[in-house]
Amino acid sequence: MIQFRNLTLARGARRLIIDASMQIHPGWRVGVVGANGSGKSSLFSLLRDGLHTDAGDVSIPAHWTIASVAQETPALATAAVDYVLDGDAELRQIERALLQAETDHDGHMIGELHGRLSEIDGYSAPSRAATLLHGLGFSDADFTRPVSDFSGGWRMRLNLAQALMCRSDLLLLDEPTNHLDLDAVVWLEKWLSSYRGTMLLVSHDRDFLDGTVTHIAHLYDQRLTLYTGNYSSFEDQRASQLAVQQAMFEKQQREVAHLTKYIDRFRAQATKARQAQSRIKALARMEKMSAAHVDAPFDFMFPEPARAPDPLLALDNVCLGYDDTLIIDTLKLDLRPGARIGLLGPNGAGKSTLIKHLAGELAPLTGVRTEGKGLIVGYFAQHQLEQLRPDESPLQHLQRMEPRVRMQDHRDYLGSFDFRGAMADAPIAPLSGGEKSRLALALLVRCRPNLLLLDEPTNHLDLEMRHALTKALAEYEGSMVLVSHDRTLLRMTCNDFILVADGQAQPFDGDLDDYLVWLTERNAAQNTARNTALKDARSASTAMPATPVPEKKMAQWQSEKAALELQLADPALYEKAQAAALQSTTQQQAALMQKLEQAEARWLEIHEQLEVND
């Protein structure tokens, strides 16, 4: 097990954790939560890299293999699938040793290595790597593409796949969903929920935490406290602890009363029964969530938006894409005041493309986009963080937007986003991604938009800020279109959904849970189609006199070959009395070698055929 004994950890002169004692038992999956800067990443560095402690110590079993996601990825020429396979270090070591043993004609070593390869399930490693890549959104055609071909976000997915490929005893994951979309998040959640080792997970996605962890380690006020249960259970326990403090309890009750009033108003206006009930349940859940976050440093609201035209925005037979590549075909959409729409759909289907067009950043290939008079768009996307001025402070950014507003009003407003004191006056260059996202949201909110367009607004935001944003969006009086992999945010803020898939963007008749069912069925159908294509490719291969050999049969032949090589390594076999046995063994070896060569050639031809079909 992992054991912390009176641990004190600091970063420079600032103490992050003081006198922490805790045990994490094998098989526990622990969510590590706390505000940005509370020490979560430093705790991971301590476990992964042996970061120096200021007092006390931490012990991890010496024989444990630790896996974590690399933060950098060189522009390698290595194929994506081979890069993922590199995550299993022992597999690669055995493969190298086998090549050397075969060069040296060392039959005994070859036999031992094949035996170990079988023990670690090495023959199925390519299949497992393919499963990881498919789950994280890669296509079959991506498998052979060099790592250098992929963008930064997709390289992070490759790094995640490589970490999952490792047969680890301890898995350290620091915000693994940041570069994923919803379908990949759902797949990863299922994969991690069945992980058999010990896991420490930093995530700011409460649904993801609920589906993956068995315990919560909470970093707060320099203390590390362990709770049993998932994140929702932690919220309930923490809310109970805070409620005994009278001031906190009173604030909680005011928050609950405010949200209850909003729920009642929504119930009176709801027109779709299923959507309404889903939203009401989500907002009711927010009551409990709010109780656990009453001491959060963030507390803001969207100001009442400017008067909105009707429609806000109209798309008439719009086709969207890039150059000659069509992404969304013949879209008709009228955005009316009060619309609260979530965009759903598989990776790469065109959600971000659609929201860019709504924001006016992408012209249509064909069709007409008409803005209502008085439309004010507030658009948030990750690339807009680059438009912040690194040499200016948060206060200067706000003053440039509103030069006539009193400085104290600006300071009060920035304080609601936890930019207080010296932090409001310092240049933003050293800020973390989460802090810059917070500032960008603060500036966006200040514009009083009547149409909010949000593309993954929660990336890099901690749980406290996500809660504040969710609450503010739930109460926002304007219209909104949202792309997010955060299911809590989608459930609590969206009344309707548009499904972007297969070149179309159509209203989705259902709620988020219905979409997750649709997604599961779609993935199952794609897996069936992939297997059917493989069978068809085998049948169509007229150059092969026999049916392609299943992977298990190839593994069996490899084992038989290893056993024969072990026999051939025995000097006694070469005595005169064993001449007949020697001849028989060498003939069997030659026959097996021929079978394996033919089988490997067949597999190569099959994969080439599949690539052609794709």
Side-chain angles (χ1 to χ4, degrees), residues 570-591:
D570 185 357
L573 187 63
Y574 296 88
E575 295 178 1
K576 186 177 293 187
Q578 299 294 325
L582 174 62
Q583 182 179 5
S584 174
T585 304
T586 54
Q587 288 174 348
Q588 291 178 56
Q589 182 196 37

Side-chain angles (χ1 to χ4, degrees), residues 328-563:
I328 297 176
D329 189 19
T330 318
L331 170 62
K332 292 180 70 69
L333 176 66
D334 286 341
L335 278 178
R336 312 295 295 272
R340 308 179 65 84
I341 298 172
L343 300 185
L344 303 175
N347 168 64
K351 300 185 293 295
S352 292
T353 298
L354 175 53
I355 209 164
K356 283 179 183 177
H357 173 67
L358 295 176
E361 292 198 355
L362 178 67
L365 298 177
T366 59
V368 179
R369 174 183 183 274
T370 305
E371 291 186 3
K373 186 177 181 180
L375 174 67
I376 302 175
V377 172
Y379 177 42
F380 178 92
Q382 290 301 306
H383 72 269
Q384 290 180 295
L385 301 187
E386 299 169 6
Q387 298 175 10
L388 298 174
R389 302 188 179 191
D391 57 333
E392 291 188 3
S393 68
L395 188 59
Q396 287 173 310
H397 277 83
L398 200 53
Q399 285 177 316
R400 187 160 22 84
M401 282 180 57
E402 299 176 330
R404 297 182 180 180
V405 175
R406 289 191 318 135
M407 185 177 296
Q408 187 57 48
D409 290 340
H410 284 328
R411 289 190 180 279
D412 292 343
Y413 177 73
L414 289 170
S416 68
F417 288 84
D418 202 27
F419 293 104
R420 297 181 171 89
M423 194 174 186
D425 296 304
I428 69 167
L431 296 184
S432 67
E435 290 164 333
K436 289 177 181 176
S437 292
R438 248 196 294 149
L439 177 58
L441 284 167
L443 300 176
L444 177 68
V445 169
R446 198 70 170 179
C447 294
R448 294 183 62 211
N450 48 34
L451 175 59
L452 273 177
L453 304 173
L454 305 173
D455 192 353
E456 298 291 359
T458 61
N459 276 358
H460 306 294
L461 298 183
D462 63 19
L463 280 158
E464 305 290 359
M465 181 58 188
R466 286 192 185 204
H467 172 73
L469 176 62
T470 301
K471 182 167 67 73
L473 286 175
E475 299 170 3
Y476 172 58
E477 298 291 345
S479 304
M480 178 185 71
V481 179
L482 171 67
V483 174
S484 179
H485 63 256
D486 188 315
R487 284 160 286 176
T488 299
L489 182 64
L490 287 166
R491 283 193 179 97
M492 293 188 174
T493 60
C494 296
N495 298 344
D496 300 281
F497 295 99
I498 289 177
L499 178 61
V500 184
D502 304 319
Q504 302 292 319
Q506 301 287 346
F508 182 72
D509 184 19
D511 59 16
L512 186 60
D513 292 328
D514 295 319
Y515 170 71
L516 296 178
V517 172
W518 177 88
L519 187 62
T520 299
E521 293 174 348
R522 176 189 173 90
N523 290 339
Q526 288 179 338
N527 288 335
T528 300
R530 191 177 291 115
N531 292 335
T532 300
L534 181 59
K535 291 177 182 178
D536 290 345
R538 290 172 176 171
S539 301
S541 183
T542 56
M544 294 179 287
T547 302
V549 183
E551 188 175 300
K552 289 184 178 178
K553 191 68 175 177
M554 291 177 66
Q556 176 186 335
W557 287 345
Q558 289 280 9
S559 298
E560 291 176 8
K561 176 174 171 282

Side-chain angles (χ1 to χ4, degrees), residues 270-284:
T271 56
K272 290 187 176 181
R274 179 162 43 175
Q275 296 282 3
Q277 289 304 314
S278 176
R279 180 77 181 282
I280 289 167
K281 289 177 183 177
L283 286 167

